[in-house]
Amino acid sequence: MAAPVPQRLPILQSGRVEAVQQGGRRGCGDGTGYFLLGNLPDGDLLLGAFWSTVACTLFFLQDKTLKSSVYRIRGSVSASNYLQLPRTSTQSLGLTGRYLYVLFRPLPTKHFVIHLDVATQDSQVIRLSFSSLFKEFKSSATWLQFPFVFETRTLKRGTAPPCARWTVLQLDLHDILLVYLSRYYGHLKSIRLCANLLVKNLYTSDLSFDPAVTVTEAQRTKLPITPVPREMAFPVPKGESWHDHYIHIQFPSDSPQAPSELVPAAAFLEPVPQLPSPLVALSKPMQYRMLPVIQMASHTTSCPAHSAPRVLPEVNLSCIHSEMSHLDGLSVCGRDSSAWVEDSDAHTMVSGSHMLTHKPTSTPVALEDAGSHKHFLPDPVLRLKGIIGFGGHSTKWALWTKDGAAVVYPCHAVIVVLHVSTGEQRFFLGHTDKVSALALDRNSFLLASAQVQPPSVVRLWDFPTGQCLSLFQSPMYAVCSLSFSSSGALLCGVGKDHQGRTVVVAWGTDQVNRGGEVVALAKVHADFDVQTLRVSLLDETRMASCGRGSIRLWRMRGGTLRSCPVDLGKHCGLEFSDLAFAQALDGCQVPSIHTLYVSSRSGHILEVDTQRMAVQCVHHLLPTGVPSGCHPRKQSFSAGPDIAISSLSVSQTTCAVGSEDGYLRLWPLDFSSVLLEAEHEGLVSSVCISPDGLRVLSTTSSSHLGFLDIPSQKYTVLAHSHMAPVLALSLEQSRRHLATVSLDHTVRIWDLATLHQLHDITSCDEAPCAITFHPTWPAVFCGFRSGTIRAFSLENSGVLVEHTCHQGAITGLLVTPDGNFLFSSCSQGSLAQYSCTNSECHILRVAANIVCQDTQPHPNTLAVSRDSRLLAFVGPSKYTVTVLDSTSLDELLRVNISTLDSLDSAVAICFGPTSLGHLLVSTSSNKVMVLDVVSGRTIRELSSARPVACASLALNEDASFLLAASGQAIEVWEYSTQSDPSCQVYIGHSEPVQAVAFTPDQQQVLSVGDAIFLWDVLATPESNRSVPRVSSAREADTFSSEEQGCCEESHSPTGVHKFPDPPVSVEKEPSGAGDMAWGAARGSWKPQGRPSTWSTRKIKAQTPTRPDSYKHFTARYKAFMLAKNISRPPAGGGQLRLKAVVGYNGNGRANMVWRPDTGFFAYTCGRLVVVEDLHSGAQQHWLGHPEEISTLALSHNAQVLASASCCGSTAALCQIRLWDVPGGLCQQLISHHDSAVQALAFSPDDAFLVTLGDYRDCTLALWSMATYELLSSSRLLEPMHGVAFNPWDADELTCVGPGAITFWLLRQRGADISLQVHREPVPEEMGLAELTSLCYGVAPLLYCGSSSGQVCVWDTGAGRCFLVWEADDGEIGLLVCSGSRLVSGSNTRRLRLWAVGAVPELWHKGSDARSSSVFMERELNLDGAVVSASFDSGMDMGVVGTTAGTLWYISWAEGTSTRLISGHRSKVNEVVFSPGESYCATCGEDGSVRVWSLASMELVIQFQVLNQSCLCLAWSPPSCGHPEQQQVVAGYSDGTLRVFSISRTTMELKLHPHRAALTAIAFSTDGQTILSGDKDGLVAVSRPRTGMTFRVLSDHQGAPISAIQSTRKEYGDLGVEGEDLWLAISEDQRVSVWASNWPQNHCKLLDWLSFPAPAALETTGLLPPSLATFCPWDLALLVCVGLGTREEVVFYSLRQKQVVEKILLPFFATSLSLSPGTHLMAVGFSECTLSLVDCTSGTTQEFAGHDDVVHLCRFTPSGRLLFTVAHSEVLVWEVLSP
């Protein structure tokens, strides 16, 4: 044990513990930057921290193992006890090292947390968190959470074991950001170490250290490794192994390769988001690891990729020891499953499918057998075969190899080596952005390449092997030229720094091949232009450069670079483009060897004597005359007669010149005449003569690559390429031809066998965007952005047919596989069908407004089944997918792929094989949904491994592999695996992949984007691979002897019990006397008590899939983080009182209760429980839940209300609050479920409460209402949709779910309560339907609704179903029964009343019962799916809630539905008030404008515009006229504004002043002019009387207008004329203030304010909105928030032209409003809080209540009320007198 040293840091008065000295940064010679948490030899304590004072003191200990001082961070709550570097969040460590090393030891039996704030190169702050508290990997755009898992057989998972060792945690920050978020690492901003752990020190470095090797050992063995510095090393007893005492964790890669070598081949990543939870059954006493781990493909080994680390391959430890000493990696040896490891301590690191174990060499290891697990083989399954493309960033780089047999050139982010004679390609993969420069040494040993992404990264490659030897960051912002010396020992680079200055750098590369590093020898900033720099062929210390007006000779001496200009005389004004040193004749030293040739864009070539540093000769090259023959010469690109030379290359006898007139010319060295010339189709970018001088390589600006063979005078094209991204592709079945269309306005046909171009069709005026081959004709169809469709012949490239039936850009184009029909869709929503039975291809049908109009041109917009029978597309909206009969176009199926709580849109679609009947849909939420093409049922979901939507899908013929284009990567799924399919990710593209496809023979894969990639499929057909089959419900209901049970049960008196994740099946051992295991005949009772001994068998973990039932609650996504500390005003002391809540949360389920006999009425809105008096409208608001409330339940005596909220960032478990109804106070808080609570139910005697978890939790819990203890908890192996107690038997409850109904019987044995389970399948006549709802009728009847719209009636005594009838067309989510009446509600928006009085008689008939006696009395159509309902005992009246956010009063007697509570379902964008405060109006994303009575908050008028979002709103001012003439003007997403009359309730005017969406709108003070701003930054001025827009202001163009406000001023006030004073503010932190007189068309800019952009928020990574308003008590003051770098309110005086006051805020503001009556200011925050600031006294009060970002605050004109909005929640606050 480490004893505490009596040394503590002083406790300051501020309540923080501060270090003696501010933390400092130390630097090592290797670039290491570190902070030492301890005493250095000089006695300085380098510690910058602040420490929470919650019962905690920072101890300074002497650790016996390390024999040094360490810190102990300890506390009961990790979040409250931490050490942070630096002290404040406004500071930054600024450490740029790639690797972070944390030397720590977890405290035994405790949890710990490590937070890292990392800044990317684009200044985005990402938080990386590592903790033993996390159960699974989670990610968002700004936060990655990695679980640190300890697993033992004696301790519970999550806490550190007693024997926890000191650990070196090595984090590759570069790879973590690149792999998980596709971002580039910039620097380490801050570190927070949270309790409980010991920490010695931490440091960053660009080097990958091996902590197990000391400096002395490394020097003695001369191994190519980097030992850890001495002050960071752990002591090791002499003769013992480092790994016996300590642990080394490398994350994310456990590969022993050099850190710079990321991906030597096509990069393969394991599926990160779908990694399962850690193992439960282990083969070691203790393991700990971090999840998830990325496995990258290696060029030396190929490890199979599993979908999860389920089994542990055995590791031969003697092999490990020897391999570790040679640093060649770990070897996996044979298995032996007979023994367990009994060593006291072992450490395992999961890497993909392997778990690498560091153990003593003497201990054998035996692991589980992996033979039963099927793996994704081979690994990788794709291999890059060829690339069609050239260039990317530049087309001037193409080099010969030393032997002249191959050409090296870049293709975007890939470097290609093309063998000239065979056409074979090999690739250098590793760059993440386009390559900007290349250099190859003369011996073809070293290749250097630089990429565009600033700051530029340079890679050094071993050219023969393709291995990356070194990766280093250059000091240049962008590298434009690289050059090797003859020996390859020196590399020079030229580029620009971030300030645009020229930088020349020299690196030493002589040690790279021997395991050393690249050394920066010299760096120079130049004030002259340098375009090209070359190292001399004779002297490696001399170089030459050229640029605009400059030729300079360089020399390197003593570690410095110096240059001297060449005297150019009258040629000093030339622009020099390239240079080359003269080549020496073999064995000869002649004076010409010191000649330097320099070319210019004016046609001059200068010969420079490098010894005398003078120009010795000037040649002026002119184009040759037009030949006298019949073939005229091509017109020059240049304006004059000169040859604009872009590149030159010199051999021993000739000089090759490439010029901008498109010619490659070969001249003798005296430039007397042209020897040869070759004409190109574009500007010649570069030329390069081969080493033997017989070939000249040339590149053009049109992305052509070829060479001129001098002896034969023949030109050979090596590569063609699109000059812009490729949009779509199509494959021809028989001839293996590929067609592509690109943004360069070309259609190209390629031969896949040779990768050569066959046809090139160019359209200068129209842009092609869709392409498809005809399966039998030699023709290709092409769609253009103009709406035209043309068919081109492949025989003569002529146009066969042309159609112009579309008005918008073509978004989809395809031909059925049988060739009978052609289908096309356009951006205007029309779908056209053509007959392809003859060459005329005439139009059959055109359907308007059927295809989604938001769809972009895309290869997977349309899809046709492989039997040509079905056509699928996205439409009519982006949230639906429609399936038609391809011949008749009859609609067969329409599927809404969005859930009821989130609008998830379809992106791409694809049909599977006909035998499967699958339709695959990729969605905007990064998922791929597999739908049944007949029923539309969701079969399963695949979650993308990357945080981007899949833009293209392709499934091969045997349905074994699924391709998905995901951003710049390609995902390959093992589709044949039913559950938890494996996924591999391949990178290589530098731009988003637009389309993927299998070749007709299924042996290759194509992906297009920046270039065309051809991949080989390495998988071979397997005899055991079969097409996945969907099992029926009855098959799924049959259990084998190994699949016993449908649940687990546990008992805990504490009320909280956590189940292991993933679930395990339970087999009861014979020792459990009196307990029965599953296996009895169907229909018998199976008691499940607490067993004494358990035997667990691991079941394959899988990601929970949301059931295809709308009954399940899913919390709406919220981009916020709750404030930790809210300073609420004392009771009765606040100036705000919550008066009313507008709206009902239609996202909840069963979240409304009404008791007619007592009048109690409650519902939820976000985190609030609203209790309302239906007579007076008065409301009570019960606040306490930290997250959105999912459901409610009222006890039978109406004394207790139970409410449940989901878990989230602020709550690890779901909170269930029990409220005392009479007192309105929370009397108990219980929690157990870890995702969401699906349903609550009280027993008839109110003695018990049952809670049902959702599909992710799958837990049924029973609580005692007397003691609030958890009596029993059962784990369900399938999600249940509903639960209810038997009203006449308190010991029985029922659950409904997939394919069966489950009866639970409570059995009490003393103080213990157990549950007996009985399960019955659904009747056969219901098919595959799931039971989704239930309610009890008269004894013993139970009514159940199904997903297919059927209602079945059960005899609960006999456990049988005796009656089924069709009650609806959709899923029945709600049933309510009383007496002889039954109410059903479904997702079809129907509410139906059924007469079921005859059902008890039918029950006596048994099997003879017929449903004809059940009939429907009434039907009502509501505005959304029914989610909650309460009726009186006679079922005459009730209240019903829908997903549209409406509560309806239902009267069956009158057959009417009356709107009771109403609100916006989607986001509310604006709140405005009438001048007299009689009304207020709101607008929302749903396109509605709603007018409310301000006194009662009842909806008065609603204006609805379909398919548009209403983004802004304004009410006409009082000067506009009489009250009866009041108007509101609304701005919409289509660029229109509409004027509505309140008195006439009609739309009076519609204008279209903008092309982009309107984001702000305002009336002038006289109401005769409308000011509107749009997303593009334009402000339009319109007159509603004339309907004309008479002025457009473009001062803010480029940034969206966030607000426009107009107010009245005195005519000559502020020194300008006019009575209107108005402002506009844009999102780029600019504010303009104007004075105008609109009747005279006068407008003058009064002031212009521009603020620096605020730093990115650490919580969300988003910039706060820019807001400004006129101060109502002083119109010459502007009040601004979101402007500047600090969290503050700024008061700017228009008179003084300066900031006069600032008020600090706790966070960045998201909304702002000032009260006209008092000097009060309301400010909303993204932390869900509201602040009320008294601008006179400066005091601030904070209020909570919202469930999301408070994005709107609006005081009424009188200032008596305050409206605040968070998404769709509208809270009305009463402003009280102070």
Side-chain angles (χ1 to χ4, degrees), residues 37-115:
L37 303 182
N39 284 324
L40 295 178
D42 56 6
D44 291 335
L45 185 66
L46 299 180
L47 172 64
F50 61 82
W51 186 270
S52 175
T53 59
V54 182
C56 178
T57 304
L58 181 63
F59 274 101
F60 202 37
L61 309 176
Q62 189 72 21
D63 187 80
K64 295 181 179 179
T65 303
L66 300 186
K67 299 180 176 63
S68 65
S69 300
V70 298
Y71 280 104
R72 183 178 69 188
I73 306 172
R74 187 174 64 179
S76 57
V77 180
S78 297
S80 302
N81 299 273
Y82 57 85
L83 180 68
Q84 176 164 308
L85 300 171
R87 178 179 294 112
T88 64
S89 60
T90 58
Q91 298 173 316
S92 175
L93 295 177
L95 298 176
T96 59
R98 173 174 178 170
Y99 299 95
L100 171 66
Y101 297 84
V102 183
L103 280 56
F104 77 105
R105 177 189 173 190
L107 291 180
T109 68
K110 301 290 185 180
H111 293 284
F112 73 92
V113 183
I114 298 176
H115 295 300

Side-chain angles (χ1 to χ4, degrees), residues 1161-1184:
F1161 175 57
Y1163 56 91
T1164 71
C1165 184
R1167 296 189 288 141
L1168 294 172
V1169 177
V1170 182
V1171 180
E1172 184 169 339
D1173 188 329
L1174 289 176
H1175 298 286
S1176 64
Q1179 292 182 354
Q1180 299 179 40
H1181 309 100
W1182 297 349
L1183 176 63

